[in-house]
C-alpha cells in the first residue's frame, strides 16, 4: 500500500493511500483532515471543505495538478507540501528546500566510491564528497581497527570500569558515575542536550562534508564506535540524508560539540533532516523514506559522534580549496589588467625573482610571463606602446608576484595544516586498542585549524585589496587613458562607477572580518573547558572573506574586458584573448548603462567554477614545459641595468613583452 509524507503548516503527516486512483486533491484534503484532527481548535478551520490549498513536491517545489491521480503523479513515499491559501510564512519557517535548490533538482546519486581509512583523505576529496560526486565505503583495514577499538569499550562496560564519557557524565559531571542500566540513555541525553546551535542550517554540500569528515575520523579506529553504527552513518551519507545543522554555536573546544550534536540528532531520528528526495522533514520520516533505521546509540557512541574539530575543518577545507582557485585566477585577471593599462613585463623577469626565491613569488611571476611573453603570444596592444617614455608601473601591477605570491604560500601552509587535521583522531577519550585502554587528552581543541584559517583570511584578503586598486586605475581616466568609468557618453552613462564602489565596500568589510577570532577565548562548562579556539567563526568568516575576494576579482575581470573594447582593433596575447572570449560568452560589452548585478554574478560564477583558470591553464603549462629549466646565472650587468632603470629611467622599452 503506497504511503505519502505530507507537510501541513509545520506538521509532517504520513498518509496511506488505499486506492491509487485517488487524486492529488484527495491527498491534500486527507492530510488537512488529519492535521485538523490533531489540533484542539481544528487548526482554525470549520471543515475540510472550506480549506483552499495547492500542493507541490518538496523536491524541486513543482506544483501538482489536483485532478491528477496519485499513482500517475507521485512515487511511493514521496514528500509533498500542502500550502494553504492565505497563510503568511512565519519568519521562523524552515523552507522545504535549502537555498540554491535548483542545483539539487537534477541531483543524481553517485555511482563511484571513495574508500576511507582515516589517513589519506585530501581537501579536494572532501570538497568533492560535499558536492555529492562520490559515495563512501571503508577499507578492510579501517573496519578491523573499528572492531578492535569497540572491543575495548565493551570490556569497560562489562567490567564497570569508571572511564570518562563512557560510564561517567561529561564536562563538570565527569566525576558522576552512571549505572550500566542508564549508559545508553546517557548517550542519547548527551546528543539532545548538546543540540543547542542557532542560525541558518548548513547547506547540503557543507553538511555532506561535515558528515564525510566525521566518518573519516571514526574510520581511524580510536573513537570506540561500533562497526554496525558506523555503517549506518555511511548509509545515511550515501543517500544524502543530511541532518539540520545550525551554523552557529561552536567555540571550537571541546571540539565542535553543538553542530556535531545536531548531526547526530538527525541520525538517531530526531530533529529535522534533508534529502534530495524529501526536502526538509522530520528525520525519522526522511530515514524511513530511504529504507533506513534511526541509529540506536550504544555506550560511548554519542560521544564518538560529536567530539572533534570537523565543523571547523570541513569548512576550512572548502575555504582553502576556493582560496587556491581564486589565487590562480587572480594572476590571470591581473595580467589582463596590466595589458589594458599598457604595463610592462620587465618586473616579472626571471632574474629578479631568483634573488628573492620565495616559491609563491616565483610561480606568480612565471604565470605572468607565460601569459604575456610576446615571443610565444604576440600582443598588438603591447607592441603599440613598446617605446613609450614610462619607466615603471604602479605597485598594484609591478608587485603582483610579491603580493599574490605570499597569498599562494599562505594557502599552501594552511592546506598542509588542514590535510593533517582531516586525517587526525580528535576524540576524547581516545581508545587505543593495542594498549587495551582509553586515555583522556586534548586533541579536540581546535586551535590548529582556527589559527590557520585566521591566517588564511588575512592572506587571501590581499588579493581583493590590490584588485580594488587596479579597478580604480581602470576606471580613472587620469591613470588609464581610457574613458571615465569605462563607458562612452560619460554623464549620461555611469559605467563601472558603482561597481568600483561595491569592490571598495567588500574590501572594507573584509578588513573587519580579518580580525582573528582565535585571539579570543571564553571559559565554558563551569571552567572545565577554560580555553577555547573560537574556530567555528574563524572558518565561517574565512569563507565570507574568500567569497568577497571572488566578487571583487569578478568586477576587475569585467572592467579589464571592458577596457579591451576601447583598445580594439588591437588584440592582446592568445591566452588572454581566450579569457576575454570566455567572459563575452556570458556578459556582453557595455555600450550603455544596464542592470549590472547579473553581470557581476555571471563573472563570479566563472571564477567559482574555475573556468577562467581552465581556459588559461593549457597555455601556462605549455610554457612551463618549454621553459624547464628557466633560469640562468645572474651577472653583475643584470644588477647594474636594474639600478640604472630605477634611478635614471634610461632605456625602459616599457611595452616590451619578451624575456630579457
Amino acid at each position: 500500500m503506497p504511503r505519502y509524507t505530507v507537510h501541513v503548516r509545520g506538521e509532517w503527516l504520513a498518509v496511506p493511500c488505499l486506492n491509487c486512483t485517488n487524486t492529488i486533491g484527495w491527498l491534500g484534503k486527507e492530510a488537512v483532515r488529519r492535521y485538523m484532527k490533531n489540533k484542539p481548535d481544528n487548526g482554525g478551520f470549520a471543515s475540510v471543505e472550506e480549506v483552499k490549498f495547492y500542493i507541490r513536491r518538496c523536491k524541486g517545489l513543482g506544483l501538482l495538478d489536483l485532478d491528477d491521480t496519485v499513482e500517475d503523479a507521485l512515487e511511493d513515499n514521496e514528500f509533498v507540501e500542502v500550502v494553504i491559501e492565505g497563510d503568511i510564512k512565519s519568519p521562523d519557517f524552515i523552507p522545504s528546500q535549502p537555498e540554491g535548490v535548483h542545483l539539487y533538482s537534477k541531483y543524481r546519486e553517485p555511482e563511484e566510491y571513495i574508500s576511507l581509512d582515516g589517513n589519506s583523505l585530501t581537501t579536494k576529496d572532501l570538497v568533492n564528497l560535499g558536492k555529492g560526486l562520490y559515495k563512501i565505503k571503508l577499507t578492510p583495514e579501517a573496519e578491523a581497527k573499528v572492531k578492535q577499538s569497540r572491543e575495548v569499550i565493551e570490556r569497560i562496560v562489562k567490567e564497570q570500569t569508571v572511564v570518562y564519557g563512557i560510564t561517567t557524565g561529561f564536562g563538570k559531571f565527569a566525576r558522576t558515575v552512571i549505572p550500566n542500566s542508564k549508559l545508553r540513555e546517557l548517550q542519547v541525553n548527551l546528543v539532545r542536550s548538546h543540540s543547542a546551535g542557532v542560525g541558518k542550517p548548513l547547506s547540503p554540500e557543507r553538511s555532506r562534508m561535515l558528515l564525510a569528515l566525521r566518518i573519516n575520523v571514526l574510520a581511524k579506529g580510536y573513537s570506540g564506535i561500533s562497526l554496525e553504527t558506523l555503517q549506518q552513518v555511511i548509509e545515511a551519507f550515501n543517500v544524502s540524508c543530511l541532518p539540520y545543522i545550525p551554523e552557529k554555536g561552536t567555540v571550537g573546544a571541546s571540539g565542535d560539540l553543538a553542530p556535531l550534536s545536531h548531526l547526530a540528532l538527525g541520525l538517531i531520528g530526531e530533529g529535522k533532516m534533508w534529502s534530495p528526495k524529501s526536502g526538509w522533514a522530520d528525520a525519522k520520516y526522511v530515514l524511513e523514506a530511504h529504507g533506513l533505521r534511526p541509529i540506536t546509540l550504544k555506550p560511548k557512541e554519542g560521544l564518538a559522534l560529536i567530539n572533534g574539530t570537523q565543523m571547523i575543518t570541513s569548512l576550512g577545507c572548502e575555504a582553502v580549496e576556493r582560496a587556491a582557485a581564486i589565487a590562480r585566477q587572480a594572476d590571470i585577471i591581473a595580467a589582463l589588467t596590466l595589458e589594458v593599462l599598457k604595463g610592462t613585463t620587465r618586473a616579472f623577469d626571471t632574474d629578479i625573482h631568483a634573488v628573492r626565491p620565495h616559491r609563491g613569488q616565483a610561480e606568480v611571476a612565471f604565470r605572468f610571463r607565460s601569459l604575456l611573453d610576446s615571443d610565444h603570444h604576440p600582443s598588438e596592444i603591447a607592441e603599440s606602446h613598446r617605446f613609450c617614455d614610462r619607466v615603471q608601473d604602479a605597485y598594484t601591477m609591478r608587485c603582483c608576484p610579491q603580493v599574490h605570491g605570499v597569498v599562494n604560500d599562505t594557502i599552501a601552509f594552511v592546506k598542509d595544516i588542514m590535510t593533517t587535521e582531516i586525517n587526525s583522531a580528535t576524540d576524547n577519550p581516545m581508545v587505543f586498542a593495542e594498549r587495551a585502554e582509553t586515555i583522556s587528552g586534548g586533541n579536540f581543541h581546535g586551535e590548529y585549524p582556527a589559527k590557520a584559517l585566521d591566517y588564511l583570511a588575512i592572506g587571501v584578503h590581499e588579493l581583493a585589496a590590490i584588485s580594488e586598486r587596479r579597478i580604480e586605475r581602470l576606471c580613472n581616466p587620469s591613470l588609464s587613458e581610457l574613458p571615465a568609468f569605462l563607458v562612452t557618453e560619460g554623464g549620461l552613462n555611469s559605467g563601472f562607477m558603482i561597481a568600483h564602489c561595491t569592490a571598495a565596500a567588500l574590501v572594507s568589510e573584509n578588513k573587519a572580518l580579518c580580525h582573528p577570532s582565535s585571539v579570543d577565548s571564553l571559559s565554558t562548562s563551569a571552567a572545565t573547558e577554560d580555553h577555547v579556539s573560537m574556530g567555528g567563526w574563524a572558518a565561517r568568516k574565512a569563507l565570507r572573506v574568500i567569497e568577497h575576494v571572488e566578487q571583487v576579482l569578478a568586477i576587475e575581470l569585467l572592467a579589464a574586458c571592458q577596457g579591451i573594447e576601447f583598445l580594439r582593433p588591437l588584440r592582446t596575447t592568445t591566452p588572454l584573448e581566450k579569457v576575454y572570449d570566455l567572459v563575452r560568452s556570458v556578459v556582453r560589452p557595455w555600450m550603455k548603462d544596464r542592470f549590472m548585478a547579473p553581470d557581476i554574478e555571471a563573472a563570479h560564477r566563472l571564477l567559482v567554477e574555475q573556468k577562467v583558470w581552465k581556459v588559461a591553464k593549457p597555455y601556462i603549462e605549455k610554457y612551463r614545459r618549454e621553459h624547464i629549466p628557466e633560469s640562468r646565472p645572474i651577472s653583475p650587468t643584470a644588477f647594474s641595468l636594474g639600478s640604472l632603470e630605477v634611478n635614471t629611467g634610461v632605456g625602459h622599452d616599457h611595452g616590451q613583452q619578451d624575456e630579457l
Side-chain angles (χ1 to χ4, degrees):
M1 178 177 64
R3 196 189 74 163
Y4 305 96
T5 305
V6 186
H7 184 253
V8 183
R9 285 183 168 178
E11 301 285 343
W12 289 95
L13 304 159
V15 180
C17 185
L18 298 174
N19 186 348
C20 290
T21 61
N22 284 338
T23 65
I24 296 295
W26 170 87
L27 179 64
K29 286 184 178 180
E30 181 62 17
V32 171
R33 186 187 69 77
R34 291 169 181 250
Y35 170 79
M36 292 171 58
K37 182 179 178 182
N38 292 333
K39 298 294 178 181
D41 63 349
N42 289 330
F45 301 117
S47 69
V48 172
E49 301 303 324
E50 76 169 40
V51 181
K52 304 297 182 184
F53 59 83
Y54 60 91
I55 299 182
R56 61 188 179 195
R57 285 186 169 89
C58 288
K59 178 183 177 181
L61 303 181
L63 290 175
L64 297 169
D65 190 320
L66 298 182
D67 294 328
D68 284 347
T69 65
V70 292
E71 183 179 38
D72 292 337
L74 300 176
E75 298 176 6
D76 185 23
N77 213 359
E78 188 160 350
F79 286 65
V80 297
E81 184 175 16
V82 172
V83 182
I84 296 172
E85 292 184 10
D87 276 0
I88 299 173
K89 185 184 293 185
S90 163
D92 300 321
F93 174 69
I94 300 172
S96 60
Q97 296 285 355
E99 294 177 11
V101 64
H102 59 281
L103 301 176
Y104 298 95
S105 57
K106 298 179 181 179
Y107 174 81
R108 295 291 182 272
E109 194 171 297
E111 296 180 359
E112 294 185 56
Y113 284 82
I114 281 184
S115 296
L116 297 185
D117 59 6
N119 301 309
S120 52
L121 188 66
T122 68
T123 56
K124 185 176 180 180
D125 288 338
L126 187 61
V127 170
N128 285 335
L129 284 164
K131 292 177 180 177
L133 301 183
Y134 302 103
K135 291 182 178 181
I136 286 173
K137 62 182 178 181
L138 298 179
T139 64
E141 295 78 11
E143 290 185 355
K145 287 182 177 180
V146 170
K147 288 179 180 178
Q148 290 165 8
S149 70
R150 186 62 200 176
E151 289 172 1
V152 175
I153 302 300
E154 298 293 350
R155 185 162 56 253
I156 288 170
V157 174
K158 183 178 180 180
E159 296 174 358
Q160 299 186 26
T161 308
V162 177
V163 177
Y164 173 76
I166 303 173
T167 57
T168 75
F170 308 97
K172 187 69 174 176
F173 298 118
R175 297 184 180 182
T176 303
V177 179
I178 310 299
N180 273 24
S181 61
K182 294 191 175 181
L183 293 184
R184 290 177 182 252
E185 183 182 353
L186 171 70
Q187 299 300 313
V188 174
N189 287 348
L190 173 71
V191 171
R192 288 171 176 163
S193 65
H194 285 44
S195 297
V198 298
K200 293 171 59 177
L202 295 182
S203 67
E205 293 100 330
R206 291 174 182 172
S207 297
R208 249 192 300 261
M209 282 195 299
L210 179 59
L211 184 53
L213 185 52
R214 194 61 207 160
I215 292 168
N216 190 60
V217 171
L218 294 171
K220 290 185 73 68
Y222 296 101
S223 303
I225 196 169
S226 68
L227 183 59
E228 175 193 3
T229 297
L230 182 53
Q231 291 291 4
Q232 283 185 272
V233 177
I234 292 171
E235 288 170 0
F237 175 88
N238 286 344
V239 291
S240 284
C241 287
L242 307 173
Y244 183 94
I245 306 166
E247 63 180 4
K248 300 177 184 179
T250 178
V251 294
S254 164
D256 295 318
L257 291 174
L260 287 171
S261 294
H262 282 276
L263 181 74
L265 190 72
L267 295 172
I268 66 173
E270 298 183 17
K272 300 292 182 183
M273 184 175 268
W274 181 90
S275 80
K277 177 178 180 178
S278 66
W280 288 116
D282 290 346
K284 60 183 178 181
Y285 289 131
V286 177
L287 291 169
E288 187 177 324
H290 292 274
L292 303 178
R293 294 177 293 104
I295 290 171
T296 301
L297 296 174
K298 306 179 189 71
K300 176 57 166 78
E301 290 191 331
L303 191 58
L305 288 171
I306 75 169
N307 204 194
T309 63
Q310 284 67 57
M311 169 81 158
I312 306 170
T313 312
S314 60
L315 296 184
C317 288
E318 179 188 346
V320 79
E321 286 295 317
R322 285 177 66 174
I326 196 58
R328 289 191 293 263
Q329 294 173 112
D331 298 340
I332 299 164
I333 295 166
L336 185 57
T337 295
L338 183 138
E339 270 284 89
V340 172
L341 295 175
K342 300 181 179 178
T344 179
T345 62
R346 290 294 293 277
F348 313 125
D349 187 278
T350 306
D351 289 346
I352 290 176
H353 304 284
V355 296
R356 197 194 192 197
H358 293 294
R359 290 185 180 181
Q361 177 178 328
E363 177 62 20
V364 173
F366 173 83
R367 288 175 188 164
F368 271 78
R369 293 194 299 274
S370 70
L371 295 167
L372 296 168
D373 183 354
S374 64
D375 285 348
H376 282 70
H377 317 295
S379 167
E380 294 172 350
I381 294 174
E383 190 64 28
S384 73
H385 62 94
R386 176 178 288 271
F387 300 107
C388 68
D389 59 0
R390 277 184 291 173
V391 175
Q392 58 191 12
D393 294 320
Y395 291 179
T396 50
M397 294 182 287
R398 195 189 343 157
C399 298
C400 279
Q402 292 78 7
V403 177
H404 289 202
V406 72
V407 176
N408 282 269
D409 289 342
T410 300
I411 293 167
F413 170 79
V414 175
K415 187 169 185 175
D416 184 59
I417 296 286
M418 289 297 140
T419 301
T420 299
E421 191 72 8
I422 62 178
N423 292 294
S424 297
T426 56
D427 290 75
N428 185 53
M430 306 286 287
V431 182
F432 294 95
E434 64 277 12
R435 294 168 58 173
E437 65 177 312
T438 64
I439 304 175
S440 286
N443 279 4
F444 52 72
H445 202 295
E447 200 73 13
Y448 261 103
K451 281 285 188 286
L453 292 169
D454 279 337
Y455 183 31
L456 181 68
I458 293 168
V460 177
H461 159 71
E462 210 59 39
L463 294 175
I466 197 170
S467 173
E468 182 274 329
R469 290 292 81 204
R470 291 193 297 262
I471 297 169
E472 157 69 9
R473 300 190 77 83
L474 287 164
C475 291
N476 188 334
S478 65
L479 300 174
S480 68
E481 301 176 3
L482 298 169
F485 303 110
L486 302 170
V487 72
T488 57
E489 296 188 78
L492 174 63
N493 295 307
S494 297
F496 279 71
M497 182 187 295
I498 303 304
H500 174 233
C501 289
T502 297
L506 293 172
V507 168
S508 182
E509 189 171 328
N510 272 4
K511 291 174 184 176
L513 291 171
C514 284
H515 176 80
S517 68
S518 61
V519 299
D520 186 26
S521 177
L522 291 170
S523 179
T524 61
S525 192
T528 303
E529 299 162 4
D530 57 348
H531 183 275
V532 300
S533 72
M534 297 300 178
W537 177 225
R540 290 191 293 115
K541 70 183 183 62
L543 282 166
R544 283 176 62 182
V545 167
I546 291 163
E547 182 178 37
H548 292 166
V549 171
E550 293 165 348
Q551 290 164 336
V552 171
L553 282 158
I555 293 170
E556 184 187 354
L557 177 60
L558 291 175
C561 288
Q562 183 64 14
I564 291 282
E565 306 299 338
F566 297 104
L567 301 178
R568 294 302 194 204
L570 301 179
R571 296 177 66 80
T572 181
T573 65
T574 302
L576 294 182
E577 283 290 341
K578 295 293 185 183
V579 172
Y580 168 87
D581 291 342
L582 171 67
V583 174
R584 287 291 170 252
S585 72
V586 296
V587 177
R588 67 184 188 275
W590 270 64
M591 297 296 104
K592 60 181 181 179
D593 282 350
R594 64 173 186 264
F595 183 21
M596 181 171 264
D599 291 351
I600 297 172
E601 178 54 35
H604 181 214
R605 181 52 49 191
L606 292 178
L607 296 176
V608 170
E609 295 175 355
Q610 302 188 54
K611 290 186 176 179
V612 171
W613 173 248
K614 290 171 185 175
V615 164
K617 181 182 178 182
Y619 297 94
I620 295 172
E621 295 309 318
K622 180 181 179 184
Y623 191 87
R624 193 186 306 278
R625 291 192 297 272
E626 294 173 356
H627 289 75
I628 296 177
E630 191 198 51
S631 62
R632 59 183 184 279
I634 302 172
S635 67
T637 308
F639 285 105
S640 62
L641 283 173
S643 176
L644 183 64
E645 286 179 10
V646 172
N647 293 329
T648 69
V650 175
H652 184 49
D653 282 359
H654 187 271
Q656 193 163 336
Q657 298 283 334
D658 52 10
E659 295 287 309
L660 295 177

